[in-house]
Amino acid sequence: MPLDTIYLTRHGHRLSWTIDFRTGTYRAQFPTPTGNPADPALTSHGVHQSHELAEHLSAPQFHPKPFRVYSSPFYRCLQTIQPSVEELKRISAESVKGQKDGQSGSIDRHAELDVRIENGLGEWFGATDFFDHPAHPTPQIMSTHFPTLISDASQTYKPLLIPSRRGETIKQLHNRIATALEGIIADIDAEVSALEAELPLAQRTSKSVLICAHAAPLIAMGRALTGHMPDDSSEEDFNVFTAGLSTFKRRASSACSGQSDAQQENAEKQLAEGTTLLRASSLPQWQNGHGVGGGWDCVANGDCSFLSGGAERGWHFDGEESFNTGPMASPSETPANVGVTKL
């Protein structure tokens, strides 16, 4: 069976950073584990949310359990799914030992739960023409912080693309996310096809993937999966509460979305300048109901029923986060009023 279920979760409640809009200087509220000011850790409440998420995902009634796990490169995302991945690995080991593959609450025997770091799922930074946003943390750095999630073997995963450090418009963000998702789905479909080629139908199980990312990219994921892009990007269509969980089911017709020759020729123009395509080839045709990977339906939108604090820290687009004003002060001057771009 090809991939048929996608779970999306947002990182838990995190510490904050600020940016001086005149200079493009980022500052963290507290020292960050990776030294990147835009890469803070979770708050104690966010850590609590991460454990509640793990309890939900590992419950016997939660099915199908993730077969693969992907994450944005940032610390808060890996920290959020750490308890879940560690518990799923424990269940997986027991499932294999007890030969419970396919039973409710078990994990597919071919599951690989080391986290795949995909830069194409990373945070959204507004477009700028005079400074670089902080770089994404590398898998090598993150493996020192999360050795139970990122093994030496999992570091062989090569991301599909690297977002531009000069940021993106809202349209470019959606296209970047669609490109990354198309590649992820194609990768997993190919892996499943190879694994099940020799298996009888009775031994083929439902396959799902867990993805952890940030508010803006997650909204873009919902739109790219369903193929529905609202005329007004600020429309509140997909809920992205901290540590909430959305579920998407693949449509019966799962033909590859593909794209026209004209779209392929203009693909780079639809992505922010400086975006590096590593394994992703081009922008898929995802709008007008197409959806990436043949299209998906949202069957659970930001479920927070398992969180003791309920739905928290909702977010929606509110226009471009553009920094295209040029430098207005030298870094040595006293900072201007600063603001936080996202919760």
Side-chain angles (χ1 to χ4, degrees), residues 17-143:
W17 72 78
T18 60
I19 179 172
D20 185 334
F21 298 114
R22 302 179 307 167
T23 64
T25 302
Y26 280 80
R27 293 180 176 84
Q29 180 184 17
F30 297 98
T32 62
T34 61
N36 180 336
D39 192 27
L42 300 179
T43 63
S44 59
H45 179 57
V47 171
H48 181 65
Q49 288 179 314
S50 75
H51 285 280
E52 291 184 316
L53 174 64
E55 184 178 355
H56 179 61
L57 293 176
S58 61
Q61 64 270 22
F62 188 91
H63 190 77
K65 286 184 165 51
F67 167 80
R68 299 284 189 265
V69 182
Y70 286 77
S71 177
S72 157
F74 289 90
Y75 191 96
R76 55 195 178 276
C77 290
L78 288 161
Q79 189 180 12
T80 296
I81 58 173
Q82 182 175 16
S84 296
V85 172
E86 290 176 349
E87 183 61 13
L88 290 171
K89 285 187 174 185
R90 184 192 67 78
I91 296 172
S92 179
E94 290 185 356
S95 296
V96 172
K97 183 177 180 181
Q99 296 183 333
K100 297 185 295 182
D101 192 26
Q103 296 182 24
S104 179
S106 69
I107 297 178
D108 190 282
R109 72 185 69 182
H110 298 296
E112 294 178 4
L113 296 171
D114 279 346
V115 178
R116 298 178 176 185
I117 303 299
E118 178 51 62
N119 298 65
L121 304 173
E123 181 64 285
W124 176 50
F125 296 102
T128 171
D129 57 9
F130 70 98
F131 68 90
D132 286 344
H133 292 290
H136 288 183
T138 66
Q140 292 73 28
I141 291 175
M142 302 316 285
S143 66

Side-chain angles (χ1 to χ4, degrees), residues 40-265:
L42 300 179
T43 63
S44 59
H45 179 57
V47 171
H48 181 65
Q49 288 179 314
S50 75
H51 285 280
E52 291 184 316
L53 174 64
E55 184 178 355
H56 179 61
L57 293 176
S58 61
Q61 64 270 22
F62 188 91
H63 190 77
K65 286 184 165 51
F67 167 80
R68 299 284 189 265
V69 182
Y70 286 77
S71 177
S72 157
F74 289 90
Y75 191 96
R76 55 195 178 276
C77 290
L78 288 161
Q79 189 180 12
T80 296
I81 58 173
Q82 182 175 16
S84 296
V85 172
E86 290 176 349
E87 183 61 13
L88 290 171
K89 285 187 174 185
R90 184 192 67 78
I91 296 172
S92 179
E94 290 185 356
S95 296
V96 172
K97 183 177 180 181
Q99 296 183 333
K100 297 185 295 182
D101 192 26
Q103 296 182 24
S104 179
S106 69
I107 297 178
D108 190 282
R109 72 185 69 182
H110 298 296
E112 294 178 4
L113 296 171
D114 279 346
V115 178
R116 298 178 176 185
I117 303 299
E118 178 51 62
N119 298 65
L121 304 173
E123 181 64 285
W124 176 50
F125 296 102
T128 171
D129 57 9
F130 70 98
F131 68 90
D132 286 344
H133 292 290
H136 288 183
T138 66
Q140 292 73 28
I141 291 175
M142 302 316 285
S143 66
T144 64
H145 295 283
F146 301 99
T148 60
L149 306 192
I150 309 171
S151 67
D152 290 340
S154 68
Q155 291 185 50
T156 60
Y157 175 80
K158 187 176 182 180
L160 291 148
L161 61 90
I162 306 293
S164 171
R165 290 189 61 190
R166 285 300 176 101
E168 302 161 306
T169 64
I170 292 174
K171 179 180 179 180
Q172 289 167 341
L173 164 69
H174 282 74
N175 287 333
R176 183 249 293 180
I177 290 297
T179 303
L181 282 177
E182 181 85 356
I184 288 172
I185 294 167
D187 279 353
I188 299 178
D189 281 349
E191 291 172 24
V192 171
S193 179
L195 289 170
E196 296 191 336
E198 304 300 325
L199 289 180
L201 289 176
Q203 294 183 23
R204 300 181 184 183
T205 60
S206 181
K207 300 294 192 295
S208 66
V209 61
L210 173 65
I211 296 174
C212 185
H214 316 262
L218 284 167
I219 294 173
M221 286 183 216
R223 293 169 176 174
L225 288 168
T226 61
H228 298 301
M229 179 68 190
D231 293 332
D232 181 357
S233 63
S234 65
E235 179 178 315
E236 297 187 40
D237 45 3
F238 294 101
N239 298 326
V240 288
F241 304 110
T242 49
L245 192 69
S246 293
T247 304
F248 293 80
K249 291 288 187 178
R250 203 166 197 166
R251 294 172 189 156
S253 175
S254 58
C256 180
S257 59
Q259 65 173 0
S260 67
D261 292 339
Q263 285 179 312
Q264 186 168 3
E265 292 175 2

